[in-house]
Amino acid sequence: MMDFIKRYYQSYSNWFIALLLTAATFVIHGTIVDGNWRWHDAQILFHLYNYPWYADFINPLVWQEYSPVNLTPWQVILYRLDYLLAGISPLIFYLHHVLALAATATALFFVNALWVQKRFAIVSALLLLVGTPVFFVSEQLMTRHYVEGTLYALVSLYLFVTGIRQSSQTRILASAALYAMAMASKEIFVPLAILLLAVPEGTFRARLKLLTPHFLLLAIYIIWRDHMLASVVGGYGASSNYIDPEFMVTAAGKFLRIPVMLFAGAWWIASLAFMTLVVLTIRAGRFPWLITLLAGAMLLGPLYPLAGAPGFTAPDRYLFLVWVGISFSVGWMLHHIRHSPQTSRLLPVALTSVGILCVFSYTQGQQVRADLGLTATEFDVHTTFMLSTDSASAFIPTTSLAQDYWAVTDMLALGKALTGKDGPVPLPDDLFLTESIDHLFSYDSGCQCMQDISAALPDRRAAFVAANRPDAPLTAEFLYQNGLMSWKFGPYETGEFHVVSEVMGRLPVPVEIEGLRITVAQDTPIHIRYQSPEGWITYSDRLIIRHGIAGHWTRQ
């Protein structure tokens, strides 16, 4: 009878904690449900509109049209489920997003509670919710596969450990299935099988045997990935770059800046607080060096190929899993500090350190949300304009949208597919400001709305003509081959270069790059734009990117 009451109480308290964490998630992040389509949302929606769900799992050409670098078909599946429920209305998508964050925090609690007291597991879950990367990903639906991939990985870990404890083959197989879902969400979860091999449960031989289905799925994943992307290694550059000493130095510099990305100016205080926890745990005699080093390598390893391009310079989705690891470790360290005779009296010091982490992370997270919210509003307003305005009008996308042009071209294409009507004409650069344009709109950050600037058209055209030097020297060499783009522009060493295109938008680019992995459609038209330090500009002729054919253009 007492065992039944104890189990009932534990179950009841667990449900209460799950509801508490869900409520906390909505309090901290619930404001995002008012969002519209942003960043890559339009690209994903248009992709799922054009292709059946299974094509993303079996057809390399279909998948590489969406992404030639990453294999994340579960991301599209998640959008597809919400699309079936709500169509093009974003509310359900954002509610799903918040619930996914709540479920991930709850899963972190349950995983931590396998080894630590519940009160410390709750601290870990709450620390996760106030993490700066969580504020970032909460604003971007396109990052949900990071969130749900983490959820699947945590539940897989939970089922594996409880499967060992309860000798349940069913739980082990369910763990393997969730591991497969995590891998299909994002490549960063592939190393989970190695981490499961190192968890402190049972014997190594027993864990190795029980992980047979996981490693079988891993082998299938490697074959599948090679089939879909013709590459096993991830990243946006050529794999040979990763062993270049210069690249290694760049990567080391990025890793050292992670505390700054997470805590901004308070990074040294937060780092000192975290190191205090580490030192106290070492003093407690309970620091798991091997699994900590292994987990650290698995959390940071996937960031290494990103150090070059596109780079990780903000507390965005790339640091989400890192923050999950930090949050888990804090609960674990608190538990062992509390239960060691050497450090139990220092628990208030440890709790103060956790408080410092929470306060500075939450403060920086709010700042990130405020800053990111300005860009998010640009996307929100542009999306409403594109879906409610006809082709008699043109508009100038902001820099954010001109550099993320899928949000423009794919949203307009989706709107036409759904309504049969053309939307407004986008002008990513004044080069396309022809005399036929009579009605022109642009985004006004003051009112956070699209303003009619048609009256300024003559002045805008005159300013463009005055700045443009059509006879200025300019050179361009480029090649797109096997999914890799290379180019070299000149002859200037200072100033700014852009690739300008009615298909690709307006992209700031370095003077030279070798082997950038991106998707470029056959016969994509581009202009090379150069702006001098003095302010004058010049453009190349209309150039065409043809796969496997080197392009050369010169004006002396």
Side-chain angles (χ1 to χ4, degrees), residues 89 109 132 204 234 252-253 305 343 415 447 514:
S89 174
F109 160 77
T132 309
F204 178 84
T343 56
C447 67
E514 183 73 27

Side-chain angles (χ1 to χ4, degrees), residues 470-506:
D471 298 325
L474 194 61
T475 62
E477 299 177 8
F478 55 91
L479 173 65
Y480 184 74
Q481 189 170 31
N482 299 324
L484 297 174
M485 188 76 195
S486 302
W487 67 77
K488 183 178 182 180
F489 304 139
Y492 309 101
E493 296 182 358
T494 60
E496 298 178 356
F497 283 94
H498 288 77
V499 170
V500 174
S501 168
E502 57 264 55
V503 176
M504 301 174 68
R506 178 174 161 174

Side-chain angles (χ1 to χ4, degrees), residues 54 85 95 184 187 201 237 279 301 303 318 330 346-347 371 391 448-449 531 540:
Y54 55 83
L85 290 173
L95 285 173
E187 300 90 337
E201 294 291 333
V279 170
L303 296 178
Y318 297 133
V330 165
L346 296 175
L347 182 62
D371 295 341
S391 58
Q448 295 186 328
C449 64
Q531 180 170 337
S540 71

Side-chain angles (χ1 to χ4, degrees), residues 159-161 163-164 168-177 210-211 213-214:
L159 289 172
F160 183 74
V161 172
I164 293 175
S168 171
Q169 190 62 34
T170 300
R171 287 183 174 241
I172 297 298
L173 292 175
S175 170
L210 291 171
L211 281 170
H214 296 72

Side-chain angles (χ1 to χ4, degrees), residues 25 56 67 197 221 246 251 343 370 376 408 411 422 429 440 491 496-497 506 521 523:
T25 306
D56 289 330
S67 174
L197 189 61
Y221 173 84
E246 184 177 349
T343 56
V408 175
M411 184 53 67
D422 288 318
D429 189 89
L440 184 64
E496 298 178 356
F497 283 94
R506 178 174 161 174
D523 296 330

